[in-house]
Amino acid sequence: MTRTSVADVTGDWWSVALRGGVALLAGVVMVVSPIPHQSHLLPVFGAYMLTEGIVELVTAARAARAHQPWPKVAAQGILGVLFGLVNLVGGGLPAVVRADFIALRTFVHAVSDISVARRLRTDGPAMLPAWHLLLAGIGSALFSVLLVVGPAVQARLLGRLDWLACLYLVGLGLILLTLAVRLRALSRVPPSTPPVSAAAH
C-alpha cells in the first residue's frame, strides 16, 4: 500500500490479507511441526518471504495497469522472491548469512510499513486504520534488529529463535488480517457516506 486515497488503499485489502494469512500459516507450521524448529526456521521463513514477494509482484502489476505507483512495491517483491529462494534452498550459504537476508528483508518491510502508516496518518482520511500498519512495522523492525545484534549473539540466537520467530509471524499475521478486514469493510462503504459514520472503533 503506497497511496493515501480511500479507494486506492482499501482496494489493496486482498494483498494485505494474503500477506497476513501467509505469515500466520508460517507461524503455525513452525509451532505444530514435529521437526525441531531450528532445523526448519530458515526454510519456513524462506517460503514465507517467497510467497509474500510473489503477492507484492502481483500487486505491483495491478498498480502498473491502473497507472498507479508501482516500482517500490515491485522492488520489494523482487527482494522477497530472491531472499526467499535463498533461504528456502540454502545454496550452501551459512545459516548466519541467510539470517542476515531475513533481517534485511524484514527491515525493508518495517521501514515501508512505518512510512506508509505515517503518511496515512498525516495525509490520508481519518477513517483509514494506520495504527495496524504502524504496529506491524515496529514489530518487524524489532525482529530484524534481534537478528543482527552481532555475529556471536546471532549464532546463539539461531538455536533459540524458534519461539520468537513463531510469535513474530503469528502476531504479524493477526495484525495484517485485522487490517485487511477493516480495509475490506471500508471498501464497501458508499462514496457518499460521511467519513465520521464510516469510522468504526
Side-chain angles (χ1 to χ4, degrees):
M1 298 192 311
T2 58
R3 303 171 293 281
T4 54
S5 70
V6 176
D8 287 339
V9 174
T10 56
D12 282 343
W13 70 266
W14 64 271
S15 63
V16 178
L18 281 176
R19 182 182 167 196
V22 172
L24 183 60
L25 178 62
V28 171
V29 167
M30 292 184 63
V31 170
V32 303
S33 175
I35 305 174
H37 290 177
Q38 60 266 29
S39 300
H40 72 301
L41 172 63
L42 298 178
V44 168
F45 251 103
Y48 162 63
M49 291 191 298
L50 175 61
T51 305
E52 188 181 50
I54 293 173
V55 170
E56 288 174 329
L57 289 176
V58 173
T59 302
R62 286 167 57 93
R65 287 197 298 269
H67 304 289
Q68 296 168 344
W70 60 269
K72 182 179 178 180
V73 180
Q76 290 185 176
I78 293 172
L79 193 67
V81 170
L82 292 177
F83 286 0
L85 286 173
V86 168
N87 277 279
L88 190 59
V89 302
L93 292 175
V96 172
V97 175
R98 293 161 65 189
D100 284 338
F101 285 151
I102 293 176
L104 176 59
R105 164 67 172 169
T106 304
F107 187 76
V108 168
H109 247 308
V111 172
S112 177
D113 287 346
I114 293 173
S115 175
V116 173
R118 291 184 61 186
R119 189 159 59 249
L120 289 178
R121 287 175 62 88
T122 56
D123 302 331
M127 69 176 69
L128 294 176
W131 72 269
H132 296 79
L133 208 56
L134 180 62
L135 186 59
I138 293 173
S140 295
L142 291 175
F143 184 72
S144 64
V145 168
L146 286 175
L147 284 174
V148 292
V149 289
V153 177
Q154 184 175 338
R156 291 197 296 269
L157 279 176
L158 283 174
R160 301 184 177 92
L161 197 60
D162 50 348
W163 63 270
L164 183 59
C166 293
L167 180 63
Y168 166 70
L169 288 172
V170 171
L172 178 65
L174 292 175
I175 291 173
L176 293 178
L177 287 174
T178 302
L179 174 59
V181 170
R182 183 78 174 101
L183 293 177
R184 186 171 185 269
L186 288 175
S187 71
R188 294 172 175 265
V189 175
S192 59
T193 302
V196 175
S197 63
H201 300 284

